[in-house]
Amino acid sequence: MREHEQQRNGPGGFNRRDFLKGSGAVVAATAIATAEQEAQAQKAAAVQGPGKVDVTLTVNGKQHKLSIEPRTTLLDALRDQLNLTGCKDDYDTTSCSGSDTVIIDGKAVYASTRLAIEVQGQKIQTVESLRDGDKIDEVIAGFVKHDAMQCGFCTPGFVMATRAFLNQKPKATLEEIQSGLGGNICRCGTYKGITACALEIAKKGGA
Amino acid sequence: MAERTVSWGPRASNKLIGTETTRLDGVDKASGSAKYTADMNQEGTLYARLLTCKHASAKITRINVEPAKKIAGVHTVYLFKNEGDDCNWDGDIVAAVAAETADIAEDGVRAIEVTFEEHPHVVDEQDLDAARKAEATKEGIVDRTVGDPDKAIAEADVVHEGYYGIHTISHMCLEPHGAHCTWNNGDDGPKLTARHSTQAVSTTGAQFATKFGLDATDVRVICNFIGGGFGSKFAADEWGWAAAQMSKDTGRPVRLMLDRATELKTPGTRPSGFAKVTLAAKKNGLITAWKSHHWGTNGPQGGTIDGNQMPYVFDFENKRVEVTGIKTNCGPNRAWRAPNHPQLCAITDTAMTDLAAKLKMDPIDLYKANLGQLDKVAQENGDLYRAQLDRAAELMEWNKKFHAHGESGGGSVKRGLGVALHRWGGQSVKCEADVRLFEDGAAQVSIGSQDLGTGTRTVIAMVLAETCGLPIEKVTAKLGSSEYVYGNPSGGSITVGSVSGGTRRAALAAVWKLLDKVAAKYELDGKSLTVGNEAVWSGDKKVCSWKDACRLIGSVPISEVGASPLDDGLTSKLVGGVQMADVSVDTDTGIVRINKMVAVQDCGLVINEMTAKSQVYGGLIMGIAYALSEERIMDNKSGRYINADMENYRLPRIGDIGELVVEMYQPDSEYNRGVVGLGEPPVISTGAAIANAVANATGVRVPVLPMTPKRVLDALKGGQA
Ligand code: FES
């Protein structure tokens, strides 16, 4: 169940489709909608859906044309349409563990918090871009070296968060790493290895 | 190896066993190539979403799924419950809808018309009086007196009375429970393939088979990777059956994963326990009596934590233990990493530490004074605790840093130390390993067990490679399919022992067969030959390379199945373990920060030092979670689980764990006793150690875990230990 959506509007709830085609009054009634979101929703409602629409995503340097409902999240588009299952779905909606972290225009983003139609034209990078056969990104190598994983479910998301963070702060300090990677959650308890990996790369000035 | 006995090699001769070896599937996991249950994008897959009950207690008076079925793209609806059925907690599953996309499935869920008749509920697990008033208790689950505790208390030098508790937590697997099921209506292959997120690849197939009237051999269960289970993923579960049924009905593969809220509410929780404890002791710290009455809930069943193991690790001549369960409209319990132990420890070791404070003793000295009074299981650990306490104290710099209870000096931030200890069984169980050597030199082990993240795949590869004298890259290790030989379910910290014992036994038998072939060819005595460095040796003379040796195998591979456990010294049971915490408590805000944690942990022979340590780090971090932030919060009025999401179910982040120091305790005596499981023990004493450090820092016992800022401030206001 998309629990929170239901709670906000009582039985029956509302969903992303309602959100997109909804009147300003409906959107304004939700506590979390900002004026900007409202404006976007109005705009989207005018031109998109409710059936499938053509969407073009630029993922890992390649253009992909999809025919999907406008309410499809980036996460579902990547996972179910493009089979890029490295970004993991933790099946939460309003909040997120970061297991679905991707990089959009250089910034770490939870893929479940964006609609696919919103990110057209933006550069989307998934964890799959960090491996080409035996050739792997230094962050992946560091995660393996420091055993920064157990079950591995949070791991690709953490790899992407680390990659984006080190791109921005190649010489990060321990304190910066601890706050900069605070947006992701690991249930198994692999933070020590992740910290060691990020710190090792930052100490030599990035990778 | 030359004498051909089944055993581990001399410790010094090992090339791989005991080293820090990175995991074989590390790159696959970190790069996202590893496929979990929800990653199977089979052509035509349908996606399922769930309708759950939002009431704590209710009867379904009407349910109509037809409007859902009418939605374009919805293919089928599966009913977990029907009209007239009861729902017993918020999150109890009512129905599943399978559709072309997850969004359409959600439309379907919303379209189901369902009405409930609400009933009164009980969700408060802490207020015993209220539960009794509501007639929700099960009294006398344990009611046992040994010796004469009242007399011992009357005659004691010191008596301590305290209140302690620990709330319910959820498993919160990052990959929710679920299955991707494919029903096969063709003639070939198994009827049902369940890609199931499971800790029990070899045993869940039968549960699917029974449900659908199939032979167990008609069901294949696959789980190459699992995103956390912690004791909650042993069954096929009704959602697994639902996925299979919906696949059967539609002729399409069906993916059904629990949504996050349901994941937290329904497939398992760790029961709570709250206790009144009385301890009596002599001046020298020797405890003469224990009395406890504890209560709590495990959901609708009305149990709580196990009273038969109270007090924990220690046992006293005079004791009285009473247990009351509370039947609540909360989600049911399932085994959670070291069932009962963290709660028992958080009640026993906290009370003992408060007693030490009263006696003005260092708690380490109090534990040591009572090592002659270990319970029957822990007794077999002998003097282990003394050695581990000393080593942990060294690593923590305990003697330098320790101060008396509450005497951390001025300032609003108080610093303190705490210690606790634990025990666990970890004995291996029935498991087989299928080892094959091929004429091209390939060596493979396969087992129908699974890797929960503990590094099982890497461990069996290390054992095989060590036994064959090969580098680890040259062997193959396979897990995660019910089509392999029987592998143990992973619960109770038994996997590494079970799989490595079987692998060693099979690999030795296979290598001996190979050596006999080499001996025949070179006219040598097979028993005099050994393997190592990718070659066969007679003493220090190389006979031939591994590859040349394997050429003698021919087209029929050497195959050997080895079984565990056998009483042959490959595996053993029982571990101890000591943990210490150094914390800072901000008495203005109530925030507790971890400065440093120390864990000294034995587990017999350590196969992979790296993944073993990771396991202990993970235990410490999970322990920090339930000590400081993690709990299920029930709203008494609505009866609902109000923090069932990633944001409000508070888990530590990367900056919240302080410095973690882990030492695998492994003198030769540990190596010699063989492999013992490790998964559970490191999470047991963490909570108690942290709670004790907070008490030492502030001079005030925060009685109930997790020690959220509010509970810390409340305790500071109350002001008594
Ligand atoms: S490794 Fe399991 S959640 Fe992070």
Side-chain angles (χ1 to χ4, degrees), chain B residues 597-671:
Chain B
M597 299 289 309
V598 168
V600 175
Q601 184 62 54
D602 58 299
C603 65
L605 184 159
V606 176
I607 291 179
N608 188 349
E609 175 96 4
M610 175 172 265
T611 48
K613 276 185 167 166
S614 288
Q615 198 59 24
V616 185
Y617 291 130
L620 287 172
I621 293 169
M622 277 186 121
I624 292 168
Y626 74 74
L628 296 182
S629 62
E630 167 187 16
E631 67 182 305
R632 174 182 70 189
I633 302 175
M634 299 301 296
D635 174 47
N636 283 343
K637 195 147 175 250
S638 64
R640 301 198 63 187
Y641 185 151
I642 54 172
N643 62 327
D645 61 69
M646 280 290 172
E647 185 72 31
N648 295 297
Y649 189 90
R650 305 287 294 170
L651 292 172
R653 305 282 176 139
I654 199 165
D656 297 331
I657 58 168
E659 181 194 356
L660 306 180
V661 176
V662 166
E663 185 164 293
M664 301 312 298
Y665 177 83
Q666 42 179 338
D668 284 341
S669 54
E670 286 291 326
Y671 182 85

Side-chain angles (χ1 to χ4, degrees), chain A residues 1-2 16 88 147 187, chain B residues 39 49 103 259 614 630:
Chain A
M1 278 308 305
R2 301 278 162 129
R16 286 191 298 272
K88 303 293 176 201
D147 206 34
R187 177 50 154 167
Chain B
D39 298 338
R49 284 288 192 266
D103 287 324
D259 55 87
S614 288
E630 167 187 16

Side-chain angles (χ1 to χ4, degrees), chain A residues 1-7 12 14-17 69 71-72 79-80 83 85-86 88-92 95-97 127-128 131 136 140 143-145 147 149-156 158-159 177-178 181-185 187-192 194-195, chain B residues 22-23 26-31 33-36 38-39 41 47 49-50 52 54 103-104 106-107 109-110 170-172 174-176 226-228 230 255 257-260 265 452-453 610 614-615 617-618 621-622 630 640 645-647 651-654 657 660:
Chain A
M1 278 308 305
R2 301 278 162 129
E3 176 98 352
H4 299 275
E5 297 173 347
Q6 290 237 335
Q7 270 181 301
F14 82 106
N15 58 22
R16 286 191 298 272
R17 175 183 282 171
E69 286 192 77
R71 60 175 165 170
T72 308
R79 287 178 50 78
D80 299 341
N83 201 23
T85 55
K88 303 293 176 201
D89 191 350
D90 65 23
Y91 287 82
D92 207 336
S95 53
C96 172
S97 65
V127 71
E128 283 82 0
R131 177 182 193 180
I136 52 172
I140 291 177
F143 267 62
V144 176
K145 176 180 168 190
D147 206 34
M149 69 195 78
Q150 286 192 41
C151 80
F153 199 78
C154 72
T155 314
F158 250 117
V159 163
I177 289 166
Q178 286 175 340
L181 295 181
N184 290 52
I185 293 173
R187 177 50 154 167
C188 301
T190 60
Y191 295 142
K192 184 171 165 114
I194 297 168
T195 310
Chain B
T22 56
R23 37 185 101 210
V27 171
D28 285 344
K29 281 182 173 176
S31 66
S33 318
K35 295 281 183 194
Y36 297 72
D39 298 338
N41 278 316
Y47 305 84
R49 284 288 192 266
L50 299 171
T52 61
K54 302 297 172 223
D103 287 324
I104 297 172
E106 272 182 48
D107 292 342
V109 166
R110 282 190 190 86
S170 291
H171 291 71
M172 182 58 133
L174 218 59
E175 179 205 32
I226 170 175
F230 314 114
R255 178 201 296 177
M257 305 301 291
L258 303 193
D259 55 87
R260 181 53 46 188
K265 293 171 179 180
L452 265 50
M610 175 172 265
S614 288
Q615 198 59 24
Y617 291 130
I621 293 169
M622 277 186 121
E630 167 187 16
R640 301 198 63 187
D645 61 69
M646 280 290 172
E647 185 72 31
L651 292 172
R653 305 282 176 139
I654 199 165
I657 58 168
L660 306 180

